[in-house]
Amino acid sequence: MCKECGCGGENHKENKKVVEALTKVLDANDRQAQENREHFEEYGVYAINLMSSPGAGKTSLIEATIEALGDSVKIGVIEGDLETDLDAQRVRSKGAPAVQINTGSACHLDAFMVHNGIHQLPLKDLDLVFIENVGNLVCPASYDVGAHLNVVLLSATEGADKPEKYPVMFRHADLLVITKIDLIPYVDFPIESAIRSARKIKPGIDVIALSCKTKEGLEDWLDYLRFKVRINKRALK
Ligand code: MG
C-alpha cells in the first residue's frame, strides 16, 4: 500500500538496500520530529498524536473534546487522511482551526507532513494540537511525528485481542482510549480482556474508557487533557 514505509512489499525484509533506505528515511524523520516538538514548545503548545484503525472514533473524540472544553483549552487540529478534507471540515464546524493533509498513497503521517501542517496553524493562539493520524494500526507506529503524547484508540466494535495482534502500535502508545463503550451491551467486547491484552504489551499503560455519544467517561479524558496542558505550560515558565 505505502511505498515509503515498505509495508507494501513482500520481499522487502530480505532486501538490504530497502532496509538501509528505510533507516535513512526514519533517521531524517526523527530529526524533523524533534524540530516539530521544539516548534510546539516555543509556543507552549501540547501536541497529541491520535492513532487507531479506521472508524474507531478519532474525529468524533476530537469534536466532543472541542465542544466540551470550549474556550478553556484552545485546540487546533492537523488531520491526516489519504483523500478528502471531510474531517477537517467537521473540526472547523466546531470552531477550531484545522489543517487537512492528504497523504495520497501513504498510510501514515510523517514528521515532514506534520511540519507543513504546523506552519498553517495559529500556534500562538493555541494550547493543544491534535494530530489525527491516518486510520491504520501498523505504519503510523513507526513514525515519530513530533507529538508529546501518543494515544491509541480501540473501539468496542473491534476485537479485544487487537493489542496483541498489533503490538508495535500499543507498545508505542502512552495512553489507551477505549471508545464507543455505549455499544458494549450489544457487541462481544470483554473490556477487561482488552485492557489485559494492552497491558501484556505495554505494562501499566493508562486506560480511559468513554463514549462520545452518551458522554460516559468523557470527563476522565477531559481531566487528563487539562492536566497535561497545565503541566506543559508550567514546565515552560
Ligand atoms: Mg477521522
Side-chain angles (χ1 to χ4, degrees), residues 57-60 79-81 87 90 132-133:
K58 296 183 294 302
T59 318
S60 298
E79 283 287 348
D81 275 302
D87 282 0
R90 281 172 63 182
E132 182 183 337
N133 220 306

Side-chain angles (χ1 to χ4, degrees), residues 39-46 126-128 229 232-233 236:
H39 269 311
F40 287 126
E41 282 160 15
E42 202 178 314
Y43 291 95
V45 171
Y46 193 71
L126 301 177
D127 303 309
L128 172 66
V229 167
N232 182 54
K233 298 263 183 211
L236 295 169

Side-chain angles (χ1 to χ4, degrees), residues 188-201:
D188 183 17
F189 184 81
I191 190 166
E192 295 80 10
S193 306
I195 295 170
R196 259 198 309 277
S197 178
R199 287 188 170 158
K200 205 184 268 185
I201 300 302

Side-chain angles (χ1 to χ4, degrees), residues 4-233:
E4 191 191 308
C5 73
C7 72
E10 288 172 11
N11 299 319
H12 280 170
K13 275 190 185 146
E14 291 145 34
N15 186 332
K16 200 167 165 244
K17 275 189 184 160
V18 171
V19 172
E20 281 170 3
L22 182 56
T23 305
K24 270 188 197 160
V25 167
L26 289 174
D27 285 350
N29 183 78
D30 285 353
R31 284 193 294 277
Q32 182 61 58
Q34 187 51 34
E35 201 183 295
N36 292 354
R37 253 185 301 275
E38 286 164 10
H39 269 311
F40 287 126
E41 282 160 15
E42 202 178 314
Y43 291 95
V45 171
Y46 193 71
I48 296 181
N49 181 22
L50 287 181
M51 296 174 284
S52 75
S53 50
K58 296 183 294 302
T59 318
S60 298
L61 181 59
I62 292 170
E63 287 176 306
T65 304
I66 294 167
E67 258 176 22
L69 291 175
D71 285 338
S72 65
V73 176
K74 293 181 194 71
I75 296 172
V77 183
I78 296 173
E79 283 287 348
D81 275 302
L82 300 184
E83 300 282 347
T84 82
D85 68 341
L86 296 172
D87 282 0
Q89 287 180 36
R90 281 172 63 182
V91 169
R92 285 184 204 121
S93 76
K94 298 290 171 192
V99 178
Q100 182 75 51
I101 294 170
N102 286 137
T103 59
S105 62
C107 50
H108 59 273
L109 285 176
D110 65 28
F112 297 95
M113 298 174 196
V114 170
H115 182 247
N116 285 337
I118 288 173
H119 285 291
Q120 296 175 58
L121 281 178
L123 284 191
K124 65 175 178 26
D125 303 327
L126 301 177
D127 303 309
L128 172 66
V129 166
F130 285 117
I131 300 160
E132 182 183 337
N133 220 306
V134 178
N136 180 335
L137 276 180
V138 183
C139 312
S142 303
Y143 286 82
D144 184 356
V145 292
H148 298 96
L149 192 82
N150 290 309
V151 176
V152 63
L153 276 62
L154 177 65
S155 80
T157 55
E158 300 175 67
D161 54 0
K162 265 201 173 162
E164 285 163 272
K165 288 182 173 171
Y166 298 89
V168 179
M169 172 60 75
F170 286 82
R171 202 172 293 126
H172 189 66
D174 303 301
L175 170 71
L176 166 63
V177 177
I178 298 176
T179 57
K180 307 189 190 183
I181 59 168
D182 54 298
L183 296 177
I184 287 180
Y186 313 104
V187 294
D188 183 17
F189 184 81
I191 190 166
E192 295 80 10
S193 306
I195 295 170
R196 259 198 309 277
S197 178
R199 287 188 170 158
K200 205 184 268 185
I201 300 302
K202 178 83 182 263
I205 189 170
D206 283 333
V207 182
I208 295 174
L210 55 80
S211 161
C212 292
K213 197 167 184 184
T214 64
K215 314 291 183 216
E216 185 184 352
L218 191 65
E219 199 53 39
D220 289 341
W221 164 249
L222 299 174
D223 279 345
Y224 189 93
L225 295 179
R226 289 183 191 108
F227 173 71
K228 289 290 190 184
V229 167
R230 195 169 69 237
I231 60 171
N232 182 54
K233 298 263 183 211

